Amino acid sequence: MVQAGIVPINRVAIGAELLAHWQSAAGEAHATLMGDHLPFAGNNQAGFLAAKAQA
């Protein structure tokens, strides 16, 4: 990616940018992985799952 001119911000951004979209199976797995290991992502994941359960 760097050779293509992309300036990576951090590993979270790189992982997110490699996903086609968050609604795919890979996107949901990635969100769960991030939620398990990163507090700010865990908050996002918990909010998403709560909203999804109410829908």
Side-chain angles (χ1 to χ4, degrees):
M1 290 184 350
V2 173
Q3 291 175 346
I6 297 170
V7 179
I9 299 170
N10 58 38
R11 67 184 183 271
V12 176
I14 292 170
E17 292 298 328
L18 291 174
L19 295 171
H21 54 83
W22 287 94
Q23 294 176 327
S24 66
E28 289 186 22
H30 183 76
T32 299
L33 177 68
M34 289 178 29
D36 290 345
H37 297 284
L38 302 169
F40 67 89
N43 293 337
N44 290 341
Q45 180 71 355
F48 168 75
L49 292 174
K52 186 175 179 181
Q54 293 179 2

